Amino acid sequence: MSEYSFLIGIGMVFMLGTMSPGPSFILVATTAVSKSKMQGFGVTLGLAIGAAIFALLAIYGLYAILQAVPSMYVALRALGGAYLLYLAYKMWKRAAEPMKLIAPEEANTTNFLKAVLLGLTTQLSNPKTAIIIGSIFAALLPKETPAYSEVLLCLLAFTGDIVWYSLVVLLLSTKRAQHAYLRFKRHIDRLAGGLLGLLGVKLIID
């Protein structure tokens, strides 16, 4: 078991990175308070799948490619930043629109799948995640990894997102949190949209 001890350090770093504020957190938080708990978990699942995909790509060389070809990294960041700006625009535009909360019985599979796709697209829109994961691997992976390490690393990335964002959904999908959201919807949506827009701009020009 000691040959897999490096996974503990990587898992802790993954979790700390997941808990840091960013577009993923904003998306989960706003979905949890403005829509159904099911859709909140759908976004969470999409984010976790995206994290696992980035881990897999980092293992098989995307990190090295993005370092070797800066223009590709710049292009991916520009596309990702543009996508975040699009989400910010939609959130800001709909801030003043009245809405009602979705009852649990009104939540359906279609909405869940759309939420999964939204979470996945948002995660994959940030190529910086691939660089961060690649850097973690470069710093903490041993020169020779034991069998099945690739699978375990992807599971770590997946689990970190699932655990943290599920907690966020459970905390923010309560009736008290949702009614507070309805009361201050315009301000919350515009704040969230503004933060997403700033993150999109930062991704492009940083």
Side-chain angles (χ1 to χ4, degrees):
M1 186 66 184
S2 59
E3 61 180 341
Y4 292 98
S5 58
F6 67 92
L7 293 173
I8 297 174
I10 291 178
M12 292 176 64
V13 176
F14 273 170
M15 183 58 74
L16 290 172
T18 300
M19 293 171 68
S20 62
S24 299
F25 179 84
I26 294 171
L27 182 63
V28 171
T30 53
T31 301
V33 297
S34 66
K35 298 180 181 179
S36 68
K37 186 183 295 185
M38 176 183 284
Q39 285 173 272
F41 285 129
V43 170
T44 295
L45 179 59
L47 292 170
I49 293 171
I53 290 173
F54 269 135
L56 185 64
L57 292 175
I59 291 169
Y60 288 105
L62 179 62
Y63 169 62
I65 292 172
L66 292 179
Q67 280 195 319
V69 188
S71 58
M72 179 183 294
Y73 184 47
V74 171
L76 289 175
R77 285 181 67 118
L79 289 173
Y83 177 71
L84 292 182
L85 287 172
Y86 167 71
L87 288 182
Y89 167 74
K90 287 179 62 178
M91 196 171 290
W92 186 278
K93 183 180 178 182
R94 295 175 181 175
E97 294 180 2
M99 64 167 289
K100 68 171 185 175
L101 297 176
I102 299 176
E105 60 271 13
E106 295 178 31
N108 55 53
T109 303
T110 300
N111 287 336
F112 177 79
L113 293 176
K114 286 181 179 178
V116 172
L117 182 60
L118 177 61
L120 176 61
T121 308
T122 301
Q123 185 76 287
L124 296 181
S125 72
N126 189 359
K128 187 176 180 181
T129 305
I131 292 292
I132 294 172
I133 292 176
S135 300
I136 294 170
F137 289 171
L140 300 178
L141 280 182
K143 290 183 178 180
E144 294 186 8
T145 57
Y148 306 112
S149 293
E150 296 87 352
V151 175
L152 294 173
L153 289 167
C154 291
L155 285 175
L156 275 177
F158 180 87
T159 303
D161 275 43
I162 282 288
V163 170
W164 170 243
Y165 291 125
S166 292
L167 288 174
V168 173
V169 171
L170 290 173
L171 287 172
L172 295 181
S173 61
T174 61
K175 287 185 178 180
R176 177 178 295 181
Q178 290 183 333
H179 286 305
Y181 167 77
L182 284 181
R183 184 177 179 183
F184 301 104
K185 177 182 181 300
R186 177 182 299 181
H187 306 294
I188 293 173
D189 282 2
R190 286 183 174 170
L191 176 62
L195 289 173
L196 269 183
L198 288 174
L199 289 168
V201 172
K202 184 176 185 296
L203 189 60
I204 294 171
I205 67 174
D206 188 7

